[in-house]
Amino acid sequence: CRVFLTTALAAAHRAGFGRADETMKALALSLLFLAAPLWACEGLTASAGWVRAAPPGASVLAGYLRLHNDSDRTVLIHRARSLDFAAVDFHQSAMQDGLSRMLMLDALTLPGRSILTLAPGGLHLMLREPQRALKAGDSVRLRLYCSPEDWMYLELPVRDH
């Protein structure tokens, strides 16, 4: 935040907002912009995370974990990213017309004071196109985004089962 505010003040000064009242306006707008997302992942924790190891050359892996929302607010996780994969999606395994299908979800929603479990055969992270070979004992680095500026960092161990 400090870097952003310093940059915003310097930019305001360069743009001709040299007077104190105009600089304060720029600072106030910057703070308003920053304040909204600061609490987006507040109260969110993760446990029991892991990624299922796949055969060499596999283009898709799956990740599992338990998300805990200890706040009174609903938390929306709208995106996941990883340097270890080209893409990370939210998927739900479900039976449709007697066939097992995977449905892609836009987001994960955790009501206040709830736990959401991502587990084999149900909700999971679909990890597509690994950027490096992964084997049991390695770790996968992920970010779960609760807003464009607020994310939660995770390291999930890769294991056989």
Side-chain angles (χ1 to χ4, degrees):
C1 289
R2 188 177 323 149
V3 171
F4 178 83
L5 292 175
T6 303
T7 305
L9 286 173
H13 182 71
R14 281 192 306 274
F17 297 121
R19 296 192 336 230
D21 59 337
E22 291 174 334
T23 301
M24 290 308 293
K25 286 179 191 174
L27 177 60
L29 288 173
S30 298
L31 287 173
L32 286 173
F33 174 76
L34 285 174
L38 289 179
W39 47 263
C41 283
E42 184 179 320
L44 187 65
T45 58
S47 64
W50 62 287
V51 171
R52 185 185 305 271
S59 63
V60 178
L61 285 79
Y64 311 104
L65 67 149
R66 188 170 301 121
L67 293 165
H68 307 258
N69 181 1
D70 296 325
S71 76
D72 291 324
R73 296 177 307 94
T74 296
V75 173
L76 179 71
I77 301 171
H78 66 90
R79 181 177 60 166
R81 297 244 169 142
S82 174
L83 293 176
D84 295 320
F85 296 89
V88 180
D89 301 317
F90 307 121
H91 279 240
Q92 172 72 53
S93 297
M95 292 297 288
Q96 279 186 335
D97 301 322
L99 299 172
S100 180
R101 300 198 186 270
M102 275 191 271
L103 309 171
M104 191 163 125
L105 306 175
D106 293 328
L108 301 177
T109 303
L110 285 90
R113 306 278 172 209
S114 69
I115 297 173
L116 182 63
T117 302
L118 285 70
L123 192 58
H124 59 279
L125 298 173
M126 181 66 70
L127 309 166
R128 295 187 287 127
E129 299 178 39
Q131 302 299 294
R132 62 186 175 104
L134 292 165
K135 62 185 180 325
D138 290 340
S139 289
V140 168
R141 300 156 298 182
L142 290 167
R143 285 184 182 182
L144 301 179
Y145 288 83
C146 303
S147 78
E149 298 83 17
D150 192 21
W151 46 267
M152 174 184 193
Y153 176 77
L154 302 171
E155 273 194 49
L156 306 180
V158 178
R159 60 183 215 208
D160 290 323
H161 59 305

